[in-house]
Amino acid sequence: TRVRLPGLRQRRILGPRRRRAVPGSYWVSGMMIDILRKSFELFRLIPRSDLVARVTPTHPTPDQIVPGEMTIVRDGVDKWACFHCPGGCGETIKLSLSKNRRPMWTAMSDWLNRPTISPSVRQTNECRCHFWIRQGRIDWCKDSGHLSR
């Protein structure tokens, strides 16, 4: 049952019905999602993630791109996906997510912040790795020379 207090609202004793954002609520919700994901991985309910997505409105500096994390640059629209090469060469991979550029990738992340990139990623440097990113896991292609885990 709902309690109706129209008289108190009209007299401005209670104030309007609206929800206010709690300061730091985005940080808290992100932290809770990380705890949930790590708990699911610990109890082997989901496979361990190789990459976790983080969304930012500005392009990250090289020191802000950390191993095990994919930074998705989104300022209204998806622009870039940046992460370290999983092949071990240390190179930073920057994939264009812009619909106006070619080649173009699409990036999605599920509610546990596990990214999925489509199509596959192929490195043309000395690393020569070729892989898919699906739900935060690196799936190596047969022509990359890396073994699947």
Side-chain angles (χ1 to χ4, degrees):
T1 63
R2 237 167 110 179
V3 177
R4 298 190 184 268
L5 303 169
L8 295 176
R9 292 212 190 281
Q10 288 174 351
R11 289 186 222 132
R12 298 184 192 274
I13 293 173
L14 289 180
R17 276 187 214 152
R18 67 180 149 193
R19 294 186 178 148
R20 294 192 175 119
V22 177
S25 61
Y26 294 114
W27 179 79
V28 171
S29 65
M31 190 172 77
M32 291 303 295
I33 289 171
D34 286 345
I35 290 170
L36 270 174
R37 186 186 64 257
K38 289 177 183 177
S39 299
F40 290 162
E41 291 171 355
L42 177 69
F43 293 112
R44 298 176 190 224
L45 298 173
I46 62 172
R48 189 183 65 77
S49 300
D50 296 316
L51 289 172
V52 176
R54 178 176 63 94
V55 178
T56 181
T58 59
H59 204 283
T61 60
D63 59 320
Q64 291 175 327
I65 301 172
V66 296
E69 190 173 272
M70 174 185 290
T71 303
I72 298 174
V73 180
R74 181 181 296 152
D75 189 15
V77 296
D78 288 351
K79 294 181 178 180
W80 295 96
C82 308
F83 57 98
H84 283 293
C85 178
C89 66
E91 185 173 325
T92 299
I93 298 175
K94 298 174 186 169
L95 303 176
S96 173
L97 305 177
S98 172
K99 296 187 185 319
N100 300 328
R101 292 182 173 219
R102 297 288 182 259
M104 177 198 82
W105 286 263
T106 57
M108 298 174 287
S109 60
D110 61 11
W111 67 280
L112 292 172
N113 291 335
R114 299 178 302 171
T116 297
I117 295 285
S118 181
S120 65
V121 180
R122 179 189 296 265
Q123 284 284 73
T124 56
N125 64 359
E126 69 278 350
C127 184
R128 311 295 288 174
C129 36
H130 186 198
F131 55 92
W132 289 87
I133 301 173
R134 297 181 181 121
Q135 292 183 326
R137 299 280 299 163
I138 305 295
D139 294 331
W140 297 102
C141 296
K142 292 180 182 178
D143 63 346
S144 70
H146 290 272
L147 298 175
S148 297
R149 288 189 231 165

PDB file of all heavy atoms in Angstrom, residues 87-118:
ATOM      1  N   GLY A  87      49.544 -10.361 -26.643  1.00  0.00           N
ATOM      2  CA  GLY A  87      50.615 -11.233 -27.110  1.00  0.00           C
ATOM      3  C   GLY A  87      51.934 -11.036 -26.389  1.00  0.00           C
ATOM      4  O   GLY A  87      52.859 -11.808 -26.570  1.00  0.00           O
ATOM      5  N   GLY A  88      52.035  -9.995 -25.576  1.00  0.00           N
ATOM      6  CA  GLY A  88      53.244  -9.789 -24.793  1.00  0.00           C
ATOM      7  C   GLY A  88      54.259  -8.855 -25.420  1.00  0.00           C
ATOM      8  O   GLY A  88      55.322  -8.644 -24.855  1.00  0.00           O
ATOM      9  N   CYS A  89      53.957  -8.257 -26.577  1.00  0.00           N
ATOM     10  CA  CYS A  89      54.933  -7.365 -27.208  1.00  0.00           C
ATOM     11  C   CYS A  89      54.973  -5.997 -26.519  1.00  0.00           C
ATOM     12  O   CYS A  89      55.895  -5.228 -26.729  1.00  0.00           O
ATOM     13  CB  CYS A  89      54.630  -7.200 -28.699  1.00  0.00           C
ATOM     14  SG  CYS A  89      53.089  -6.341 -29.061  1.00  0.00           S
ATOM     15  N   GLY A  90      53.953  -5.691 -25.709  1.00  0.00           N
ATOM     16  CA  GLY A  90      53.928  -4.433 -24.976  1.00  0.00           C
ATOM     17  C   GLY A  90      53.328  -3.266 -25.730  1.00  0.00           C
ATOM     18  O   GLY A  90      53.211  -2.166 -25.193  1.00  0.00           O
ATOM     19  N   GLU A  91      52.945  -3.474 -26.978  1.00  0.00           N
ATOM     20  CA  GLU A  91      52.381  -2.396 -27.780  1.00  0.00           C
ATOM     21  C   GLU A  91      50.964  -2.072 -27.321  1.00  0.00           C
ATOM     22  O   GLU A  91      50.200  -2.949 -26.922  1.00  0.00           O
ATOM     23  CB  GLU A  91      52.363  -2.786 -29.254  1.00  0.00           C
ATOM     24  CG  GLU A  91      51.907  -1.661 -30.159  1.00  0.00           C
ATOM     25  CD  GLU A  91      52.069  -2.007 -31.627  1.00  0.00           C
ATOM     26  OE1 GLU A  91      53.033  -2.703 -31.964  1.00  0.00           O
ATOM     27  OE2 GLU A  91      51.214  -1.576 -32.418  1.00  0.00           O
ATOM     28  N   THR A  92      50.602  -0.794 -27.387  1.00  0.00           N
ATOM     29  CA  THR A  92      49.251  -0.369 -27.091  1.00  0.00           C
ATOM     30  C   THR A  92      48.429  -0.451 -28.372  1.00  0.00           C
ATOM     31  O   THR A  92      48.814   0.104 -29.390  1.00  0.00           O
ATOM     32  CB  THR A  92      49.222   1.068 -26.550  1.00  0.00           C
ATOM     33  OG1 THR A  92      49.974   1.117 -25.338  1.00  0.00           O
ATOM     34  CG2 THR A  92      47.812   1.531 -26.272  1.00  0.00           C
ATOM     35  N   ILE A  93      47.311  -1.164 -28.308  1.00  0.00           N
ATOM     36  CA  ILE A  93      46.422  -1.303 -29.456  1.00  0.00           C
ATOM     37  C   ILE A  93      45.321  -0.271 -29.317  1.00  0.00           C
ATOM     38  O   ILE A  93      44.687  -0.171 -28.264  1.00  0.00           O
ATOM     39  CB  ILE A  93      45.843  -2.724 -29.535  1.00  0.00           C
ATOM     40  CG1 ILE A  93      46.961  -3.741 -29.724  1.00  0.00           C
ATOM     41  CG2 ILE A  93      44.809  -2.831 -30.647  1.00  0.00           C
ATOM     42  CD1 ILE A  93      46.504  -5.177 -29.701  1.00  0.00           C
ATOM     43  N   LYS A  94      45.106   0.494 -30.380  1.00  0.00           N
ATOM     44  CA  LYS A  94      44.037   1.495 -30.413  1.00  0.00           C
ATOM     45  C   LYS A  94      43.136   1.164 -31.590  1.00  0.00           C
ATOM     46  O   LYS A  94      43.539   1.273 -32.739  1.00  0.00           O
ATOM     47  CB  LYS A  94      44.618   2.897 -30.564  1.00  0.00           C
ATOM     48  CG  LYS A  94      45.508   3.283 -29.408  1.00  0.00           C
ATOM     49  CD  LYS A  94      46.195   4.604 -29.645  1.00  0.00           C
ATOM     50  CE  LYS A  94      47.186   4.863 -28.536  1.00  0.00           C
ATOM     51  NZ  LYS A  94      48.055   5.974 -28.798  1.00  0.00           N
ATOM     52  N   LEU A  95      41.913   0.740 -31.300  1.00  0.00           N
ATOM     53  CA  LEU A  95      40.954   0.363 -32.336  1.00  0.00           C
ATOM     54  C   LEU A  95      39.939   1.473 -32.516  1.00  0.00           C
ATOM     55  O   LEU A  95      39.346   1.950 -31.547  1.00  0.00           O
ATOM     56  CB  LEU A  95      40.224  -0.926 -31.946  1.00  0.00           C
ATOM     57  CG  LEU A  95      41.085  -2.157 -31.659  1.00  0.00           C
ATOM     58  CD1 LEU A  95      40.209  -3.305 -31.205  1.00  0.00           C
ATOM     59  CD2 LEU A  95      41.881  -2.533 -32.879  1.00  0.00           C
ATOM     60  N   SER A  96      39.706   1.856 -33.747  1.00  0.00           N
ATOM     61  CA  SER A  96      38.714   2.887 -34.040  1.00  0.00           C
ATOM     62  C   SER A  96      37.315   2.293 -33.951  1.00  0.00           C
ATOM     63  O   SER A  96      37.022   1.276 -34.566  1.00  0.00           O
ATOM     64  CB  SER A  96      38.939   3.465 -35.441  1.00  0.00           C
ATOM     65  OG  SER A  96      37.885   4.331 -35.774  1.00  0.00           O
ATOM     66  N   LEU A  97      36.455   2.963 -33.191  1.00  0.00           N
ATOM     67  CA  LEU A  97      35.062   2.547 -33.070  1.00  0.00           C
ATOM     68  C   LEU A  97      34.137   3.485 -33.838  1.00  0.00           C
ATOM     69  O   LEU A  97      32.931   3.332 -33.812  1.00  0.00           O
ATOM     70  CB  LEU A  97      34.647   2.511 -31.597  1.00  0.00           C
ATOM     71  CG  LEU A  97      35.513   1.653 -30.668  1.00  0.00           C
ATOM     72  CD1 LEU A  97      35.030   1.775 -29.237  1.00  0.00           C
ATOM     73  CD2 LEU A  97      35.534   0.207 -31.120  1.00  0.00           C
ATOM     74  N   SER A  98      34.745   4.456 -34.550  1.00  0.00           N
ATOM     75  CA  SER A  98      33.980   5.453 -35.296  1.00  0.00           C
ATOM     76  C   SER A  98      33.359   4.817 -36.529  1.00  0.00           C
ATOM     77  O   SER A  98      34.020   4.094 -37.269  1.00  0.00           O
ATOM     78  CB  SER A  98      34.881   6.611 -35.714  1.00  0.00           C
ATOM     79  OG  SER A  98      34.200   7.483 -36.577  1.00  0.00           O
ATOM     80  N   LYS A  99      32.097   5.096 -36.758  1.00  0.00           N
ATOM     81  CA  LYS A  99      31.405   4.556 -37.929  1.00  0.00           C
ATOM     82  C   LYS A  99      31.862   5.228 -39.222  1.00  0.00           C
ATOM     83  O   LYS A  99      31.585   4.754 -40.306  1.00  0.00           O
ATOM     84  CB  LYS A  99      29.896   4.712 -37.756  1.00  0.00           C
ATOM     85  CG  LYS A  99      29.364   3.909 -36.594  1.00  0.00           C
ATOM     86  CD  LYS A  99      27.865   3.948 -36.535  1.00  0.00           C
ATOM     87  CE  LYS A  99      27.290   3.265 -35.329  1.00  0.00           C
ATOM     88  NZ  LYS A  99      27.855   2.037 -34.915  1.00  0.00           N
ATOM     89  N   ASN A 100      32.593   6.336 -39.118  1.00  0.00           N
ATOM     90  CA  ASN A 100      33.056   7.070 -40.301  1.00  0.00           C
ATOM     91  C   ASN A 100      34.447   6.661 -40.747  1.00  0.00           C
ATOM     92  O   ASN A 100      34.942   7.171 -41.751  1.00  0.00           O
ATOM     93  CB  ASN A 100      33.045   8.575 -40.014  1.00  0.00           C
ATOM     94  CG  ASN A 100      31.664   9.070 -39.662  1.00  0.00           C
ATOM     95  OD1 ASN A 100      30.674   8.557 -40.149  1.00  0.00           O
ATOM     96  ND2 ASN A 100      31.602  10.065 -38.794  1.00  0.00           N
ATOM     97  N   ARG A 101      35.136   5.808 -40.018  1.00  0.00           N
ATOM     98  CA  ARG A 101      36.497   5.397 -40.361  1.00  0.00           C
ATOM     99  C   ARG A 101      36.537   3.931 -40.743  1.00  0.00           C
ATOM    100  O   ARG A 101      35.704   3.144 -40.326  1.00  0.00           O
ATOM    101  CB  ARG A 101      37.436   5.612 -39.170  1.00  0.00           C
ATOM    102  CG  ARG A 101      37.659   7.041 -38.836  1.00  0.00           C
ATOM    103  CD  ARG A 101      38.636   7.111 -37.688  1.00  0.00           C
ATOM    104  NE  ARG A 101      38.993   8.485 -37.446  1.00  0.00           N
ATOM    105  CZ  ARG A 101      40.193   8.892 -37.141  1.00  0.00           C
ATOM    106  NH1 ARG A 101      41.172   8.033 -37.019  1.00  0.00           N
ATOM    107  NH2 ARG A 101      40.441  10.156 -36.938  1.00  0.00           N
ATOM    108  N   ARG A 102      37.541   3.592 -41.522  1.00  0.00           N
ATOM    109  CA  ARG A 102      37.789   2.205 -41.869  1.00  0.00           C
ATOM    110  C   ARG A 102      39.253   1.915 -41.604  1.00  0.00           C
ATOM    111  O   ARG A 102      40.078   2.745 -41.930  1.00  0.00           O
ATOM    112  CB  ARG A 102      37.466   1.930 -43.348  1.00  0.00           C
ATOM    113  CG  ARG A 102      36.003   2.151 -43.699  1.00  0.00           C
ATOM    114  CD  ARG A 102      35.123   1.050 -43.103  1.00  0.00           C
ATOM    115  NE  ARG A 102      33.726   1.223 -43.470  1.00  0.00           N
ATOM    116  CZ  ARG A 102      32.799   1.736 -42.671  1.00  0.00           C
ATOM    117  NH1 ARG A 102      33.111   2.159 -41.472  1.00  0.00           N
ATOM    118  NH2 ARG A 102      31.556   1.830 -43.072  1.00  0.00           N
ATOM    119  N   PRO A 103      39.627   0.818 -41.029  1.00  0.00           N
ATOM    120  CA  PRO A 103      38.768  -0.230 -40.497  1.00  0.00           C
ATOM    121  C   PRO A 103      38.037   0.234 -39.233  1.00  0.00           C
ATOM    122  O   PRO A 103      38.462   1.174 -38.564  1.00  0.00           O
ATOM    123  CB  PRO A 103      39.743  -1.363 -40.181  1.00  0.00           C
ATOM    124  CG  PRO A 103      41.035  -0.688 -39.930  1.00  0.00           C
ATOM    125  CD  PRO A 103      41.045   0.529 -40.807  1.00  0.00           C
ATOM    126  N   MET A 104      36.948  -0.456 -38.930  1.00  0.00           N
ATOM    127  CA  MET A 104      36.104  -0.086 -37.812  1.00  0.00           C
ATOM    128  C   MET A 104      35.736  -1.329 -37.013  1.00  0.00           C
ATOM    129  O   MET A 104      35.467  -2.377 -37.580  1.00  0.00           O
ATOM    130  CB  MET A 104      34.831   0.581 -38.332  1.00  0.00           C
ATOM    131  CG  MET A 104      33.849   0.951 -37.256  1.00  0.00           C
ATOM    132  SD  MET A 104      32.203   1.243 -37.915  1.00  0.00           S
ATOM    133  CE  MET A 104      31.591  -0.409 -38.033  1.00  0.00           C
ATOM    134  N   TRP A 105      35.764  -1.192 -35.702  1.00  0.00           N
ATOM    135  CA  TRP A 105      35.352  -2.266 -34.802  1.00  0.00           C
ATOM    136  C   TRP A 105      34.148  -1.804 -34.001  1.00  0.00           C
ATOM    137  O   TRP A 105      33.865  -0.616 -33.930  1.00  0.00           O
ATOM    138  CB  TRP A 105      36.489  -2.622 -33.834  1.00  0.00           C
ATOM    139  CG  TRP A 105      37.598  -3.385 -34.457  1.00  0.00           C
ATOM    140  CD1 TRP A 105      37.770  -4.735 -34.444  1.00  0.00           C
ATOM    141  CD2 TRP A 105      38.717  -2.862 -35.181  1.00  0.00           C
ATOM    142  NE1 TRP A 105      38.909  -5.082 -35.126  1.00  0.00           N
ATOM    143  CE2 TRP A 105      39.513  -3.936 -35.585  1.00  0.00           C
ATOM    144  CE3 TRP A 105      39.125  -1.578 -35.540  1.00  0.00           C
ATOM    145  CZ2 TRP A 105      40.678  -3.792 -36.309  1.00  0.00           C
ATOM    146  CZ3 TRP A 105      40.286  -1.427 -36.270  1.00  0.00           C
ATOM    147  CH2 TRP A 105      41.049  -2.523 -36.648  1.00  0.00           C
ATOM    148  N   THR A 106      33.454  -2.739 -33.422  1.00  0.00           N
ATOM    149  CA  THR A 106      32.385  -2.408 -32.478  1.00  0.00           C
ATOM    150  C   THR A 106      32.787  -2.969 -31.115  1.00  0.00           C
ATOM    151  O   THR A 106      33.384  -4.051 -31.036  1.00  0.00           O
ATOM    152  CB  THR A 106      31.024  -3.006 -32.889  1.00  0.00           C
ATOM    153  OG1 THR A 106      31.155  -4.419 -33.011  1.00  0.00           O
ATOM    154  CG2 THR A 106      30.539  -2.408 -34.188  1.00  0.00           C
ATOM    155  N   ALA A 107      32.480  -2.215 -30.083  1.00  0.00           N
ATOM    156  CA  ALA A 107      32.797  -2.634 -28.717  1.00  0.00           C
ATOM    157  C   ALA A 107      31.528  -2.617 -27.890  1.00  0.00           C
ATOM    158  O   ALA A 107      30.747  -1.674 -27.952  1.00  0.00           O
ATOM    159  CB  ALA A 107      33.840  -1.706 -28.109  1.00  0.00           C
ATOM    160  N   MET A 108      31.330  -3.674 -27.152  1.00  0.00           N
ATOM    161  CA  MET A 108      30.208  -3.780 -26.224  1.00  0.00           C
ATOM    162  C   MET A 108      30.758  -4.326 -24.915  1.00  0.00           C
ATOM    163  O   MET A 108      31.790  -4.999 -24.909  1.00  0.00           O
ATOM    164  CB  MET A 108      29.144  -4.745 -26.744  1.00  0.00           C
ATOM    165  CG  MET A 108      28.517  -4.344 -28.045  1.00  0.00           C
ATOM    166  SD  MET A 108      27.403  -5.611 -28.656  1.00  0.00           S
ATOM    167  CE  MET A 108      28.570  -6.852 -29.204  1.00  0.00           C
ATOM    168  N   SER A 109      30.075  -4.042 -23.835  1.00  0.00           N
ATOM    169  CA  SER A 109      30.438  -4.670 -22.566  1.00  0.00           C
ATOM    170  C   SER A 109      29.158  -5.091 -21.862  1.00  0.00           C
ATOM    171  O   SER A 109      28.132  -4.423 -21.956  1.00  0.00           O
ATOM    172  CB  SER A 109      31.282  -3.738 -21.695  1.00  0.00           C
ATOM    173  OG  SER A 109      30.589  -2.567 -21.392  1.00  0.00           O
ATOM    174  N   ASP A 110      29.232  -6.220 -21.180  1.00  0.00           N
ATOM    175  CA  ASP A 110      28.055  -6.711 -20.468  1.00  0.00           C
ATOM    176  C   ASP A 110      27.966  -6.054 -19.093  1.00  0.00           C
ATOM    177  O   ASP A 110      28.751  -5.179 -18.756  1.00  0.00           O
ATOM    178  CB  ASP A 110      28.063  -8.244 -20.391  1.00  0.00           C
ATOM    179  CG  ASP A 110      29.257  -8.802 -19.638  1.00  0.00           C
ATOM    180  OD1 ASP A 110      29.985  -8.021 -18.992  1.00  0.00           O
ATOM    181  OD2 ASP A 110      29.464 -10.023 -19.685  1.00  0.00           O
ATOM    182  N   TRP A 111      27.015  -6.482 -18.284  1.00  0.00           N
ATOM    183  CA  TRP A 111      26.785  -5.828 -16.996  1.00  0.00           C
ATOM    184  C   TRP A 111      27.915  -6.080 -16.009  1.00  0.00           C
ATOM    185  O   TRP A 111      28.019  -5.390 -14.992  1.00  0.00           O
ATOM    186  CB  TRP A 111      25.437  -6.249 -16.416  1.00  0.00           C
ATOM    187  CG  TRP A 111      25.354  -7.700 -16.027  1.00  0.00           C
ATOM    188  CD1 TRP A 111      25.143  -8.762 -16.849  1.00  0.00           C
ATOM    189  CD2 TRP A 111      25.488  -8.216 -14.717  1.00  0.00           C
ATOM    190  NE1 TRP A 111      25.136  -9.913 -16.118  1.00  0.00           N
ATOM    191  CE2 TRP A 111      25.336  -9.613 -14.800  1.00  0.00           C
ATOM    192  CE3 TRP A 111      25.712  -7.644 -13.472  1.00  0.00           C
ATOM    193  CZ2 TRP A 111      25.412 -10.437 -13.693  1.00  0.00           C
ATOM    194  CZ3 TRP A 111      25.780  -8.475 -12.366  1.00  0.00           C
ATOM    195  CH2 TRP A 111      25.629  -9.861 -12.482  1.00  0.00           C
ATOM    196  N   LEU A 112      28.810  -7.032 -16.314  1.00  0.00           N
ATOM    197  CA  LEU A 112      29.983  -7.276 -15.475  1.00  0.00           C
ATOM    198  C   LEU A 112      31.223  -6.572 -16.022  1.00  0.00           C
ATOM    199  O   LEU A 112      32.335  -6.872 -15.619  1.00  0.00           O
ATOM    200  CB  LEU A 112      30.242  -8.779 -15.373  1.00  0.00           C
ATOM    201  CG  LEU A 112      29.188  -9.574 -14.607  1.00  0.00           C
ATOM    202  CD1 LEU A 112      29.446 -11.066 -14.727  1.00  0.00           C
ATOM    203  CD2 LEU A 112      29.149  -9.147 -13.155  1.00  0.00           C
ATOM    204  N   ASN A 113      31.036  -5.645 -16.964  1.00  0.00           N
ATOM    205  CA  ASN A 113      32.114  -4.864 -17.584  1.00  0.00           C
ATOM    206  C   ASN A 113      33.114  -5.739 -18.341  1.00  0.00           C
ATOM    207  O   ASN A 113      34.294  -5.419 -18.410  1.00  0.00           O
ATOM    208  CB  ASN A 113      32.845  -3.999 -16.557  1.00  0.00           C
ATOM    209  CG  ASN A 113      31.983  -2.889 -16.034  1.00  0.00           C
ATOM    210  OD1 ASN A 113      31.044  -2.459 -16.704  1.00  0.00           O
ATOM    211  ND2 ASN A 113      32.278  -2.417 -14.839  1.00  0.00           N
ATOM    212  N   ARG A 114      32.637  -6.833 -18.926  1.00  0.00           N
ATOM    213  CA  ARG A 114      33.488  -7.685 -19.757  1.00  0.00           C
ATOM    214  C   ARG A 114      33.294  -7.265 -21.209  1.00  0.00           C
ATOM    215  O   ARG A 114      32.188  -7.351 -21.735  1.00  0.00           O
ATOM    216  CB  ARG A 114      33.131  -9.161 -19.571  1.00  0.00           C
ATOM    217  CG  ARG A 114      33.329  -9.634 -18.144  1.00  0.00           C
ATOM    218  CD  ARG A 114      32.924 -11.063 -17.957  1.00  0.00           C
ATOM    219  NE  ARG A 114      31.525 -11.237 -18.334  1.00  0.00           N
ATOM    220  CZ  ARG A 114      30.926 -12.419 -18.440  1.00  0.00           C
ATOM    221  NH1 ARG A 114      31.581 -13.527 -18.213  1.00  0.00           N
ATOM    222  NH2 ARG A 114      29.650 -12.500 -18.781  1.00  0.00           N
ATOM    223  N   PRO A 115      34.362  -6.794 -21.876  1.00  0.00           N
ATOM    224  CA  PRO A 115      34.207  -6.280 -23.244  1.00  0.00           C
ATOM    225  C   PRO A 115      34.146  -7.383 -24.292  1.00  0.00           C
ATOM    226  O   PRO A 115      34.705  -8.462 -24.129  1.00  0.00           O
ATOM    227  CB  PRO A 115      35.466  -5.434 -23.432  1.00  0.00           C
ATOM    228  CG  PRO A 115      36.481  -6.092 -22.564  1.00  0.00           C
ATOM    229  CD  PRO A 115      35.724  -6.625 -21.376  1.00  0.00           C
ATOM    230  N   THR A 116      33.454  -7.069 -25.385  1.00  0.00           N
ATOM    231  CA  THR A 116      33.417  -7.896 -26.590  1.00  0.00           C
ATOM    232  C   THR A 116      33.718  -6.984 -27.764  1.00  0.00           C
ATOM    233  O   THR A 116      33.123  -5.920 -27.896  1.00  0.00           O
ATOM    234  CB  THR A 116      32.036  -8.547 -26.773  1.00  0.00           C
ATOM    235  OG1 THR A 116      31.796  -9.432 -25.665  1.00  0.00           O
ATOM    236  CG2 THR A 116      31.954  -9.333 -28.068  1.00  0.00           C
ATOM    237  N   ILE A 117      34.687  -7.382 -28.591  1.00  0.00           N
ATOM    238  CA  ILE A 117      35.099  -6.600 -29.761  1.00  0.00           C
ATOM    239  C   ILE A 117      34.808  -7.425 -31.006  1.00  0.00           C
ATOM    240  O   ILE A 117      35.058  -8.629 -31.041  1.00  0.00           O
ATOM    241  CB  ILE A 117      36.612  -6.268 -29.705  1.00  0.00           C
ATOM    242  CG1 ILE A 117      36.926  -5.349 -28.537  1.00  0.00           C
ATOM    243  CG2 ILE A 117      37.112  -5.683 -31.002  1.00  0.00           C
ATOM    244  CD1 ILE A 117      36.511  -3.925 -28.744  1.00  0.00           C
ATOM    245  N   SER A 118      34.278  -6.746 -32.005  1.00  0.00           N
ATOM    246  CA  SER A 118      34.022  -7.420 -33.274  1.00  0.00           C
ATOM    247  C   SER A 118      34.446  -6.482 -34.395  1.00  0.00           C
ATOM    248  O   SER A 118      34.181  -5.293 -34.314  1.00  0.00           O
ATOM    249  CB  SER A 118      32.536  -7.751 -33.387  1.00  0.00           C
ATOM    250  OG  SER A 118      32.268  -8.414 -34.578  1.00  0.00           O
TER     251      SER A 118
END
